């Protein structure tokens, strides 16, 4: 009897819906300018913005991949920016000593940028075009998904090339 | 048995409604991400203890495991 | 014998479970090892070693494996009452006898027992919202075997601030004790010279035996809610139910039948019901202060044997600047007796259907105080040392002790020292 009741209650719980609100559309102008300045974004380029923290375990895997894409797609107009949300800068420095990065780091100690981007999980990445529109985003980072992430990035870069060709 | 069922129903209502106002943003989980703050921190100690108390006392069990941590991915 | 019935309630999986997908690349292994010494004054001592290995996979999955080896030696109170003259009891196999000195709590026949347990668990996310875990464990000692399976489904809500979980586990335990299981409430046959020959004794002894091994089935259901309250505070609530079916009696425990002078005229083998229905409620809170973490938990259990318990436990970890910590620990436990618990039976009163004098299902108060010191080293290594003191005080349930029993210690306290060293790498 009690088992039956517990089963019913448990099923009710599992049927609950949760909605996720993803950041869509435009960011405030000052944020766009801040990001553009951090990577010296040129017209026709895109920037891969990654939010990370020293306490985020998957970030240890994402950094090597971000190093590789920065190198691989630099000529195609890709810039990479890593935004750190650590409370304590020393912890971020410790992480960077162990996990090197060849892209700029922006420090967002108070989570101002994080909340503007409305992060739903850590880590989160956003691909922005040269006018600050969010054209792609990913929640979390799994090493097994790297091929997918790279494919998604490649398709954005291809669209970019096409757009640039049209413009010229 | 009945009081336990009541607790169950209360918990489910709490989960359904009240919990959306509690908690932190994904980027504020620095302390929760620490190993010591995991709900199963010291799991080895806990299971060794459980073994002792299971053998020496008349009741056992109750702990769960899921949730908490850095909330990554 | 007592420590062999520990069925791992934690979720564990067979390592042979098919791993997800084809492109899983293993990350590094993490190991967690510990050795624990448990020593009661004049009673049981145990040495236990644990080795855990964890592997994380590129798809977010995690494999946990564990091997535990423990060795027990000594004896516990058998349930028989102390007397003002030495007492003789028959060993479980019927092949020998053991003594209890005058005015001392009679203990079981001293034993030495080694147990090995192997467990495996696989956990992985299903998608952004769901995760699951499956596990299995196997445990063996010479007269006991346990095999269990479990599964947990977890669901995240509110940006992973809330986690709901549903767990189910099943265990099959089989006992084949030395000399076979005694018939419940049969009288212990002692070869004190009254038998014509060995064969006559054997026949009488075998009449108290119920043949081959016995088994039991356990099903557990656990429903849990984990809630992040703030950046520093996380809480957890669980409700669990458990149904056990099968042989639940302790084949080595006795209950004495005493007359009005308090003299034990016979010893009966105890007898417990063959089903047990338990429910438990558990709540835990962990709060991270500036330099310390407070872990507080409470558990309430109740069952259809009449046993109810309250457990209040707290650990306070003080963190030092050099990555070391000091953690005092307190646990307070209170248990009410089983309906069929009696310290002894009275000659002349009708025999109940179930009876046990095992203080572990009697009225019991216990407390533990301990201290742990640990330090984190480079490369994610860590070591720790823990020292604890455990005291159990069986309580008088108010039954009048007749004759000589009035001057005997019927509810002796048991205390134990626990020492553990652990190392993670």
């Amino acid at each position: 009897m009690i088992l039956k009741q517990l089963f019913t209650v448990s099923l009710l719980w599992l049927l609950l819906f949760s909605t996720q609100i993803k950041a869509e559309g435009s960011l405030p102008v000052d944020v766009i300018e801040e990001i553009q300045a951090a990577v010296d974004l040129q017209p026709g380029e895109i920037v891969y913005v990654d939010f990370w923290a020293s306490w985020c375990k998957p970030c240890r895997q994402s950094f090597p991949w971000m190093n590789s894409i920065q190198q691989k797609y630099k000529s195609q107009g890709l810039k990479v920016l890593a935004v750190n949300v650590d409370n304590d800068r020393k912890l971020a420095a410790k992480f960077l000593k162990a996990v090197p990065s060849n892209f700029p780091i922006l420090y967002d100690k108070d989570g101002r940028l994080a909340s503007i981007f409305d992060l739903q999980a850590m880590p989160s990445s956003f691909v922005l075009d040269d006018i600050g529109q969010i054209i792609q985003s990913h929640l979390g980072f799994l090493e097994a998904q790297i091929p997918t992430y790279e494919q998604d990035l490649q398709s954005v870069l291809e669209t970019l090339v096409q757009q640039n060709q049209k413009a010229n | 048995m009945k009081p336990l069922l009541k607790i169950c129903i209360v918990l489910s209502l709490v989960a359904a409604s009240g919990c959306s106002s509690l908690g932190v943003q994904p980027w504020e989980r620095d302390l929760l991400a620490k190993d010591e703050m995991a709900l199963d921190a010291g799991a080895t100690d806990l299971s060794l203890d459980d073994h002792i108390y299971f053998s020496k006392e008349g009741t056992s069990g109750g702990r769960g495991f899921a949730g908490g941590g850095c909330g990554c991915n | 014998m007592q420590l062999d019935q520990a069925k791992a309630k934690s979720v564990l999986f067979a390592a042979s479970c098919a791993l997800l997908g084809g492109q899983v690349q293993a990350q590094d292994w993490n190991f967690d090892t510990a050795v624990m010494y448990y020593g009661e004054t004049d009673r049981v001592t145990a040495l236990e070693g644990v080795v855990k290995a964890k592997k994380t996979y590129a798809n977010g999955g995690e494999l946990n494996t564990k091997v535990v080896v423990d060795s027990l030696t000594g004896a516990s109170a058998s349930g028989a009452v102390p007397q003002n003259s030495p007492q003789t009891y028959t060993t479980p196999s019927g092949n020998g006898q053991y003594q209890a000195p005058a005015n001392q709590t009679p203990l079981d026949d001293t034993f030495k027992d080694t147990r090995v347990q192997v467990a495996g668990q696989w956990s992985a996310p299903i998608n952004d919202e769901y995760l699951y875990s499956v596990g299995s464990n196997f445990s063996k000692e010479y007269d006991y075997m346990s095999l269990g399976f479990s599964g947990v489904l977890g669901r995240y809500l509110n940006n992973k601030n809330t986690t709901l979980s549903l767990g189910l586990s099943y265990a099959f335990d089989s006992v084949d004790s030395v000399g076979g299981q005694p018939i419940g409430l049969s009288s212990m046959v002692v070869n004190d010279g009254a038998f014509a020959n060995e064969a006559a004794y054997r026949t009488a002894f075998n009449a108290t035996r119920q043949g081959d091994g016995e088994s039991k089935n356990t099903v557990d259901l656990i429903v849990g809610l984990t809630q992040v309250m703030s950046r520093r505070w996380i809480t957890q609530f669980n409700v669990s139910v458990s149904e056990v079916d099968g042989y639940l009696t302790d084949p080595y425990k006795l209950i004495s039948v005493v007359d009005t002078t308090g003299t034990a005229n016979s010893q009966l083998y105890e007898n417990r019901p063959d089903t047990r229905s338990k429910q438990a409620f558990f709540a835990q809170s962990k709060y991270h202060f500036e330099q310390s973490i407070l872990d507080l938990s409470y558990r309430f259990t109740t069952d259809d044997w009449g046993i109810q318990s309250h457990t209040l436990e707290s650990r306070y970890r003080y963190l030092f600047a050099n990555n070391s910590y000091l953690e005092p620990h307190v646990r307070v436990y209170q248990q009410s007796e089983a309906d069929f618990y009696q310290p002894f039976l009275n000659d002349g009163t009708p025999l109940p259907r179930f009876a046990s004098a095992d203080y572990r299902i009697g009225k019991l108060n216990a407390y533990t105080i301990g201290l742990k010191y640990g330090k984190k080293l480079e490369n994610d290594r860590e070591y720790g040392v823990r020292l604890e003191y455990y005291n159990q005080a069986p309580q008088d349930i108010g039954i009048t002790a007749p004759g000589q029993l009035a001057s005997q210690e019927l509810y002796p306290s048991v205390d134990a020292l626990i020492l553990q060293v652990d190392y993670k790498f």
Side-chain angles (χ1 to χ4, degrees):
Chain A
M1 175 60 179
I2 183 82
L3 270 162
K4 238 189 182 173
Q5 286 166 336
L6 273 167
F7 266 119
T8 325
V9 169
S10 321
L11 277 168
L12 279 169
W13 291 15
L14 290 172
L15 286 172
L16 289 170
F17 279 106
S18 74
T19 49
Q20 278 192 348
I21 307 153
K22 282 203 180 130
E24 292 267 333
S26 44
L27 299 161
V29 175
D30 57 324
V31 169
I32 297 170
E33 286 176 353
E34 196 177 340
I35 291 169
Q36 287 171 337
V39 295
D40 188 28
L41 199 67
Q42 299 301 318
E45 284 186 333
I46 56 166
V47 56
Y48 183 95
V49 182
D50 179 83
F51 283 85
W52 68 281
S54 63
W55 45 262
C56 153
K57 292 194 173 88
C59 300
R60 275 164 216 268
Q61 279 95 51
S62 66
F63 267 50
W65 180 69
M66 290 197 293
N67 281 331
S68 82
I69 58 164
Q70 169 71 111
Q71 201 169 356
K72 223 168 162 181
Y73 303 109
K74 191 171 182 171
S75 55
Q76 291 184 45
L78 175 71
K79 291 252 162 80
V80 175
L81 176 67
V83 182
N84 174 262
V85 298
D86 268 289
N87 246 315
D88 185 354
R89 187 112 166 207
K90 283 181 284 179
L91 294 172
K94 199 174 164 198
F95 179 99
L96 290 170
K97 250 199 203 158
V99 187
S101 60
N102 49 2
F103 39 79
I105 314 282
L106 204 57
Y107 291 92
D108 186 32
K109 179 173 175 288
D110 301 315
R112 178 185 56 101
L113 290 172
S115 73
I116 289 168
F117 274 82
D118 194 23
L119 299 191
Q120 297 294 303
M122 280 294 289
S124 274
S125 65
F126 303 88
V127 179
L128 271 62
D129 64 12
D130 56 359
I131 54 165
Q133 292 271 70
I134 298 172
I135 46 182
Q136 198 175 84
S137 64
H138 280 108
L139 277 184
F141 188 90
L142 284 172
E143 239 192 333
Q145 300 267 20
I146 284 176
T148 314
Y149 300 147
E150 195 141 344
Q151 263 168 36
D152 288 347
L153 192 62
Q154 281 168 348
S155 68
V156 168
L157 285 165
E158 272 166 28
T159 319
L160 190 71
V161 166
Q162 282 168 13
Q163 278 176 355
N164 285 341
Q165 279 178 347
K166 267 199 199 150
N168 294 340
Chain B
M1 282 203 211
K2 257 199 158 175
L4 230 60
L5 178 63
K6 276 188 199 155
I7 294 169
C8 227
I9 292 169
V10 166
L11 286 180
S12 56
L13 289 172
V14 166
S17 55
C19 286
S20 47
S21 54
L22 287 170
V24 289
Q25 298 294 357
W27 60 90
E28 293 174 325
R29 296 185 75 123
D30 57 329
L31 295 176
L32 297 168
K34 285 170 102 170
D35 291 335
E36 303 95 315
M37 280 299 280
L39 288 166
D40 63 351
T44 309
D45 293 18
L46 292 174
S47 68
L48 286 169
D49 278 358
D50 262 357
H51 192 200
I52 295 169
Y53 301 128
F54 179 96
S55 318
K56 307 304 297 185
E57 294 168 356
T59 64
S60 62
R63 278 183 189 263
F65 86 114
C70 84
C72 295
N73 293 341
Chain C
M1 192 53 227
Q2 292 100 357
L3 294 191
D4 63 10
Q5 290 186 34
K7 160 187 64 71
K9 278 213 174 180
S10 54
V11 183
L12 293 169
F13 276 62
S16 59
C17 239
L19 298 174
L20 295 176
Q23 289 160 353
V24 287
Q25 268 185 325
Q27 303 296 84
D28 42 22
W29 283 96
N30 282 309
F31 296 94
D32 191 349
T33 63
V35 175
M36 181 191 78
Y37 165 82
Y38 170 87
E40 289 172 357
T41 322
D42 301 328
R43 305 275 178 96
V44 173
T45 57
L47 196 62
E48 195 159 338
V50 187
V51 176
K52 284 160 69 166
K54 178 165 84 172
K55 204 172 194 178
T56 32
Y57 289 84
N59 64 352
E62 201 174 273
L63 180 68
N64 278 287
T65 56
K66 172 164 101 165
V67 177
V68 184
V69 179
D70 58 68
S71 176
L72 250 88
T73 186
S76 295
S78 64
V81 291
Q83 300 276 272
N84 53 21
S85 58
Q87 301 289 298
T88 306
Y89 308 95
T90 304
T91 59
S93 63
N95 297 333
Q97 295 176 339
Y98 62 100
Q99 243 81 31
N103 302 314
Q104 275 190 34
T105 308
L107 305 177
D108 298 323
D109 188 23
T110 308
F111 62 90
K112 189 166 181 346
D113 218 352
T114 306
R115 182 189 75 126
V116 179
Q117 183 195 20
V118 178
Q121 175 192 28
W122 170 257
S123 11
I126 296 172
N127 56 26
D128 281 348
E129 286 174 355
Y130 289 93
L131 72 154
Y132 78 98
S133 193
V134 286
S136 173
N137 64 81
F138 178 75
S139 174
K140 181 87 186 78
E141 63 189 273
Y142 85 101
D143 62 350
Y144 194 85
M145 186 279 286
S146 174
L147 179 63
F149 300 95
S150 50
V152 177
L153 182 66
R155 180 176 175 162
Y156 295 118
L157 293 168
N158 305 322
N159 275 150
K160 293 193 175 160
N161 281 304
T162 309
T163 309
L164 296 177
S165 58
L166 183 65
L168 189 65
S169 71
Y170 166 74
F172 171 76
D173 293 7
S174 149
V175 57
D176 193 356
S177 41
V178 177
Q181 275 63 255
I183 295 170
L185 299 180
S186 64
S187 189
M188 174 183 263
V189 171
V190 184
N191 195 355
D192 52 6
F195 291 97
N197 50 33
E198 178 64 27
Y201 158 71
R202 263 291 146 191
T203 314
F205 176 78
N206 290 339
T208 66
R209 302 285 114 183
Q210 56 172 319
D212 308 309
E214 295 272 6
S215 66
K216 72 176 193 237
N217 295 293
T218 311
V219 177
D220 286 297
L221 178 73
I222 181 165
V223 177
L225 168 73
T226 302
Q227 178 64 46
V228 170
M229 305 295 272
S230 75
R231 181 174 155 249
R232 297 178 173 278
W233 189 20
I234 185 167
T235 58
Q236 184 187 185
F237 304 93
N238 297 323
V239 172
S240 54
V241 292
S242 174
E243 298 285 334
V244 198
D245 201 298
Y247 186 71
L248 309 179
T249 300
D250 189 323
Y252 305 123
K253 298 295 179 203
L254 306 169
I255 180 163
S256 307
V257 181
V258 302
D259 59 25
T260 48
T261 68
T263 309
N265 296 319
S266 60
Q267 310 291 346
L268 305 184
Y269 295 102
E270 70 157 41
N271 195 34
R272 305 186 191 188
D274 59 8
T275 59
R276 187 175 181 188
S277 212
K278 304 189 273 187
Q279 294 91 45
F281 168 72
F282 176 81
Q284 182 183 15
S285 160
K286 273 188 110 126
Y287 193 91
H288 197 310
F289 295 97
E290 276 305 320
Q291 292 281 29
S292 59
I293 298 169
L294 178 65
D295 183 335
L296 199 56
S297 68
Y298 169 73
R299 183 192 65 180
F300 169 74
T301 75
T302 182
D303 65 22
D304 66 351
W305 282 8
I307 302 175
Q308 275 196 355
S309 76
H310 303 274
T311 314
L312 193 61
E313 192 164 5
S314 179
R315 284 180 169 85
Y316 181 69
R317 180 174 290 205
Y318 191 82
L319 305 160
F320 296 107
N322 62 351
N323 281 324
S324 64
Y325 66 85
L326 209 54
E327 183 180 82
H329 169 227
V330 176
R331 178 183 185 269
V332 177
Y333 179 80
Q334 204 182 75
Q335 170 185 300
S336 68
E337 73 276 16
D339 298 330
F340 52 87
Y341 165 80
Q342 280 182 281
F344 50 82
L345 292 170
N346 291 296
D347 213 346
T349 56
L351 212 57
R353 199 164 155 223
F354 306 114
S356 172
D358 189 350
Y359 80 90
R360 297 170 308 166
I361 56 168
K363 190 167 177 205
L364 193 58
N365 291 344
Y367 71 88
T368 309
I369 46 169
L371 190 63
K372 183 165 185 181
Y373 170 78
K375 189 171 168 125
K376 283 191 183 169
L377 306 165
E378 284 149 19
N379 299 331
D380 292 329
R381 291 175 301 141
E382 184 177 340
Y383 71 83
V385 183
R386 178 164 81 115
L387 186 64
E388 309 223 312
Y389 171 75
Y390 177 50
N391 178 284
Q392 270 194 318
Q395 303 288 305
D396 188 339
I397 60 166
I399 290 182
T400 328
Q404 57 159 303
L405 290 185
S407 56
Q408 293 288 353
E409 175 55 83
L410 296 177
Y411 308 99
S413 287
V414 179
D415 50 24
L417 211 62
I418 298 160
L419 179 64
Q420 175 194 306
V421 287
D422 53 80
Y423 184 61
K424 286 187 192 160
F425 58 100

